[in-house]
Amino acid sequence: MIRLLIFLAALALAAGGLTWLANNPGVVDLTWRGEEYEVSLMFALGAVLALAVVLAIVWGVLRFVFRVPSLVSVASRVRRRAKGFQALSRGMIAVGAGDARAAAKHASEANRLIGHEPLTKLLQAQSAQLSGDTAGAVAAYNAMLDHYETHGLGLRGLHIEARRASDHDAALQYAMRANARAPAAWAGQAVLDDRTRRGDWAGALATVDSNAAARLIDKPTANRWRAVIKTAMAEAAMERDPKAALALAQEACRLAPTLVPAAAICGRLSAQAGDYRRATWTLEAAYAQTPHPDLAAAYLRVRHGDSSADRLARARALARVAPNDPESLLTVGRAALEAHDLAAARAVIAPLIASDSPHGRPTRRVCLLMADIEEADANHGAVREWLGRAARAPHDKAWVADGVISDRWAPVSPSGTLDAFVWRTPDERIAAPAEAAVAARPAEAIAAPAAALAPAPHAAEPERPAAPAQAPTLVPAPRTGVIIDPASMAPDDPGPEEHESKRRGFRLYANE
């Protein structure tokens, strides 16, 4: 609208000017080679305007003629660039589709046409990785380091290639270079993974702090990881420096009140230091959030001089914190068994073995506890029955990470992920392949480590009768997991007498 108004205003001024010239005529005298020419002012103006138009046209034609070579070159470069980007696009599509041959072809064509473009080097690296050419991929990523735009991308590619080659030192160096240049989430995580994989908890804690300061991770995640790392440090220092371990465990509990291992360590060390009130309060608070057997075991033995009756009273007090959880019933039942109150033990776990139990089928720990109760009552037939049911019973809750079922918590999973272990009921499909592998082993190779792990029986317990001939046993793994094989057991056939070590292999949760 404004442009239209300006155009109309200019047109009005031009019309006004022409009208003024028409109302004020004049004469222009021109002398050319001795001849005098006299024309009107309007004619002279028109002639000058026409001459200017002709000169402009002639200059434009001459200028175009002289620019023809450069215009031809520009058109060629444009076509070359268009073909290069088309090859680059097709190469990226081929990489995404997994077509190594097409990716290599388009990468070569794109490099020939637009080799100076950063994405061309990325396509070369991706096509080399797809075809398994590690040297070519490393060369392409190294070439990226020469350009500012692709420097970070090159470092990440070299880091990935170093990890694939199991060169963890080189991978760490690339990640540290990238992190020093510009903090990136992948670089900070890579440095943290390397620290935790090596067990360098002080370095891991410093890395978490730096990542949190750079806002690569949010505050809740940073606090959780700090708590896990401090718990690992406390666990390592429990024997040599209990005071420092207690301080670390208390800090971990403050950062993550629901972290079970931190609360268990804090409770045990506080009890050892004579601070029974703090130990009791810490364990009860954690148990209310996550009923766990480690917390219950630490709670029952806060005072080492307590009798079995005292421990039973403490177990009932702890059960009031989480009255509807099966772990509370198991804790009270085990304490009642240790106090030789078999009637109370049967009564407390009766809801877990009832046919209409809201907790479902009895788990292995429930069946094993019932077997211990029947053994204490000298009911050998019932012992065999409960051991048979234990072989077919569902898994109890355990620490699960990366498909590994472990009876102990670890700060890092087998794949190297920090804080990956979760306390939950394992999926049966996870445990089934491992159980099948255990069933294929000789019975002696399976029973021997189980006997080494089984704790000594209680002094007042009678000898346990023979277990089935193909009794499943506990196969330990070094901190990473434990596999229980129930599939190979024949519960209806008691079988011949076995050695005591094999029979004690069933005592997965034995008296402390």
Side-chain angles (χ1 to χ4, degrees), residues 234 237-246 269:
M238 284 181 64
E239 297 297 332
R240 67 175 186 273
D241 193 352
K243 185 177 293 185
L246 176 58
L269 295 180

Side-chain angles (χ1 to χ4, degrees), residues 37-99:
Y37 300 93
E38 184 178 320
V39 295
S40 64
L41 179 60
M42 293 294 294
F43 181 81
L45 291 175
V48 171
L49 181 61
L51 180 60
V53 171
V54 171
L55 290 176
I57 292 174
V58 172
W59 174 251
V61 171
L62 292 176
R63 189 166 177 266
F64 175 76
V65 170
F66 285 111
R67 289 184 59 194
V68 166
S70 62
L71 292 175
V72 172
S73 176
V74 169
S76 176
R77 288 198 300 269
V78 169
R79 288 194 300 271
R80 184 183 184 89
R81 185 179 178 84
K83 290 181 180 179
F85 276 105
Q86 187 178 28
L88 182 62
S89 177
R90 290 176 177 175
M92 288 296 184
I93 293 174
V95 168
D99 190 346

Side-chain angles (χ1 to χ4, degrees), residues 116-474:
H116 61 282
E117 291 292 335
L119 284 178
T120 305
K121 296 179 176 57
L122 176 61
L123 177 58
Q124 287 180 319
Q126 294 285 320
S127 63
Q129 285 180 334
L130 190 62
S131 60
D133 184 8
T134 303
V138 171
Y141 284 125
N142 277 315
M144 293 182 188
L145 301 182
D146 298 333
H147 302 276
Y148 179 80
E149 296 85 355
T150 58
H151 191 272
L153 181 59
L155 288 174
R156 185 175 188 183
L158 291 172
H159 168 78
I160 293 174
E161 290 299 326
R163 290 187 62 181
R164 288 178 177 175
S166 298
D167 190 352
H168 297 290
D169 293 333
L172 176 61
Q173 293 302 318
Y174 290 129
M176 293 178 67
R177 285 175 57 185
N179 215 21
R181 177 178 178 269
W186 72 268
Q189 187 64 44
V191 175
L192 178 61
D193 290 344
D194 182 83
R195 298 284 189 252
T196 56
R197 181 180 62 83
R198 298 172 185 267
D200 181 9
W201 302 120
L205 187 60
T207 303
V208 170
D209 292 338
S210 62
N211 290 347
R215 297 188 177 182
L216 302 180
I217 53 177
D218 54 26
K219 186 175 180 180
T221 301
N223 287 338
R224 175 74 182 187
W225 286 356
R226 290 188 183 103
V228 171
I229 294 171
K230 287 179 181 292
T231 302
M233 297 170 69
E235 191 175 37
M238 284 181 64
E239 297 297 332
R240 67 175 186 273
D241 193 352
K243 185 177 293 185
L246 176 58
L248 289 169
Q250 289 175 345
E251 180 65 17
C253 289
R254 186 186 66 81
L255 293 171
T258 60
L259 187 59
V260 170
I265 294 174
C266 186
R268 291 193 184 100
L269 295 180
S270 296
Q272 289 179 13
D275 193 351
Y276 302 124
R277 179 176 297 179
R278 177 183 289 272
T280 300
W281 178 84
T282 300
L283 293 171
E284 286 181 350
Y287 191 87
Q289 297 291 329
T290 307
H292 193 278
D294 289 349
L295 298 175
Y299 188 85
L300 295 187
R301 283 158 177 77
V302 166
R303 290 189 295 268
H304 294 286
D306 286 350
S307 64
S308 58
D310 294 330
R311 288 197 294 271
L312 176 58
R314 291 187 63 82
R316 287 170 174 165
L318 182 64
R320 288 194 289 270
V321 176
N324 298 321
D325 195 89
E327 186 61 41
S328 299
L329 303 181
L330 283 169
T331 300
V332 176
R334 176 63 65 182
L337 176 61
E338 291 180 357
H340 306 289
D341 190 349
L342 302 185
R346 292 179 187 275
V348 75
I349 67 170
L352 298 179
I353 62 177
S355 58
D356 57 347
S357 172
H359 304 290
R361 294 170 53 198
T363 62
R364 294 180 181 181
R365 287 181 62 199
V366 175
C367 295
L368 292 174
L369 178 56
M370 279 302 303
D372 287 341
I373 294 173
E374 297 296 350
E375 182 183 29
D377 204 17
N379 192 348
H380 303 315
V383 171
R384 295 189 181 93
E385 177 186 352
W386 281 110
L387 291 179
R389 293 184 64 175
R392 302 185 300 271
H395 283 275
D396 294 276
K397 287 184 177 181
W399 294 108
V400 181
D402 298 340
V404 174
I405 304 172
S406 175
D407 60 340
R408 294 183 62 187
W409 175 84
V412 182
S413 70
S415 66
T417 304
L418 182 66
D419 191 29
F421 276 99
V422 179
W423 179 254
R424 64 177 179 86
T425 302
D427 296 333
E428 293 297 331
R429 63 177 180 273
I430 294 179
E435 291 173 351
V438 174
R441 299 182 182 180
E444 295 79 4
I446 298 176
L453 283 186
H458 194 275
E461 288 184 353
E463 289 294 323
R464 177 173 293 215
Q470 299 179 357
T473 54
L474 174 65

